[in-house]
Amino acid sequence: MDKADIGLIGLAVMGQNLVLNIESRGYSAAVFNRTVSKVDDFINERCEGKNITGCHSIEELCSNLKTPRKIILMVKAGDPVDSFIEQTLPFLDPDDIIIDGGNSFFKDTIRRTTMMEEKGFRYIGTGVSGGEEGALKGPAVMPGGTESAWTEVKNILQDVAAKADGEPCCQYLGPNGAGHYVKMVHNGIEYGDMQMIAEAYFLMKHLLGMDAEEMHKVFDDWNDGELDSYLIEITKNIFTIKDDETGNPLVEMILDSAKQKGTGKWTSQDALDIGIPAPTIAEAVFARCVSGQKDERVRASEILTGPEVGFSGDRDELIEDIRRALYASKICSYAQGFALIRGAQEEYGWEFNFGEIALVWRNGCIIRARFLGKIKEAFDEQPDCANLLLAPYFKKVIDDCQTSWRKVVKIAVENGIPIPAFSSALSYYDSYRNPRLSANVLQAQRDYFGAHTYERIDKSRGETFHTQWPEVQI
């Protein structure tokens, strides 16, 4: 029997769909799963007539692969990845390749790449975005790791990836953890996108009293314009589904308590670690945390008060203002994400092509959107652009949307409607555009109580000073 082009370990839905995608592109595959009965079920139920071989052990899987062996791990991030690497290595030869296609933390990928290379093997850590449907039909793929391994797996990964303007949404992003880092930031931006869309819904429902059918029409209109994206499209569809039990819109029957898997938290943590502001992503994470305090919020609602909600202006005008506020906030969120990736270059020794990252995200992934083409154009024109807000196209959009954006934030505050992503994005913009912030007072305070020193506006950067402040009498 001919040996397979690639192996895959982990036959949950993502793994199954990805290997079916690989086989549909003309490659042969061998598969293994820890629960061996799942291998037989998969082969019998979904693989009839397909060039996929089921294996009942890792040794059998490895013996059924062409050399250099290429094995994709589609297992839960964390200890299971290390466990399967350890179980697989005894059956590999030097230069064989393991590809981690899960949502691994990038620092784990850095560690694993170093370990594998020291042992003479090769390692790829790749983000795969697009959910179950993307895995089957074409995901966005973000590989990093041993560069020589990329040349061995490039054709397979680019063939299975989604395409944008004929180009594969899959490019080599750099050594060790670079691919998983970009996937992590993708997920952080995804958190921000989802929260901003939810805030737009909340404003329309609670300020304007709109029902699901009306909001479906609004999101349908938005999806034909600048906001055209996967997340806007699925949100408009959400408003069309009725609950079987009550006949109400299903969305209104879903408990307002959001869960998370941790990648948004990782993005926020690394932003803090390397000192790059990403407040909109962080606020989106915190918004999920607050939502999780459902019982406590219900009790608080019986005690705490706020303004009465009411709006008497032009409804259609405010809907347009919300659209503009959403677009401006979205731009700020992406600007923060790309600034974080730029900061990671210095911190971790990577070198990114930002236009290529935008291309990778153009299709297949959860944050795929029309305006990513504008981001690619911006970086193609100015590869060293420090922040997307400085690119001419995005500067003009913000200029056009700014009045509406401020109006929406003001109305929300006046009515006691929480919009943490919209408002944090606006604060980020106002902070970034101001040549002088309030941090001079912070530095004075730090020097006062801790002798941390400060710089002066009339002296060279890097020159520090300390003042003997008055003693405080308590």
Side-chain angles (χ1 to χ4, degrees), residues 283-444:
E283 285 293 352
V285 176
F286 285 130
R288 295 196 189 191
C289 295
V290 172
S291 80
Q293 298 178 310
K294 175 65 175 178
D295 294 340
E296 191 174 335
R297 287 189 289 111
V298 170
R299 291 193 296 271
S301 71
E302 298 169 355
I303 302 168
L304 305 179
T305 62
E308 287 190 20
V309 177
F311 177 74
S312 58
D314 186 309
R315 196 166 96 144
D316 290 339
E317 184 179 297
L318 183 57
I319 291 171
E320 174 59 15
D321 288 333
I322 294 170
R323 184 194 70 80
R324 288 168 175 257
L326 176 56
Y327 193 36
S329 299
K330 182 183 178 83
I331 290 168
C332 274
S333 181
Y334 279 69
Q336 292 165 36
F338 275 95
L340 182 54
I341 294 172
R342 183 175 293 281
Q345 284 193 136
E346 264 182 64
E347 187 72 18
Y348 304 113
W350 300 323
E351 188 173 342
F352 291 114
N353 181 318
F354 297 98
E356 281 192 352
I357 292 173
L359 173 63
V360 167
W361 292 347
R362 277 283 308 282
N363 204 358
C365 66
I366 302 302
I367 66 170
R368 60 186 183 263
R370 179 190 299 184
F371 100 125
L372 279 159
K374 295 295 184 183
I375 294 179
K376 184 179 188 306
E377 289 173 13
F379 283 120
D380 285 347
E381 291 170 8
Q382 194 178 350
D384 59 349
C385 181
N387 191 296
L388 276 176
L389 294 173
L390 303 176
Y393 173 81
F394 294 110
K395 179 191 179 306
K396 184 178 185 308
V397 171
I398 296 291
D399 288 344
D400 291 344
C401 293
Q402 195 172 151
T403 299
S404 292
W405 193 10
R406 296 184 188 282
K407 178 181 171 183
V408 168
V409 171
K410 178 185 176 187
I411 289 173
V413 170
E414 288 175 342
N415 283 273
I417 296 175
I419 50 166
F422 277 13
S423 55
S424 71
L426 181 57
S427 290
Y428 172 80
Y429 174 74
D430 282 337
S431 296
Y432 191 68
R433 71 178 182 82
N434 264 287
R436 188 160 173 83
L437 299 172
S438 58
N440 52 318
V441 176
L442 300 181
Q443 277 305 106

Side-chain angles (χ1 to χ4, degrees), residues 1 43 108 145 174 184 199 220-221 300 309 319 334 343 398 420 430 441:
M1 184 181 73
I43 295 297
D108 288 337
M184 178 190 76
E199 290 174 16
D220 191 34
D221 288 342
V309 177
I319 291 171
Y334 279 69
I398 296 291
D430 282 337
V441 176

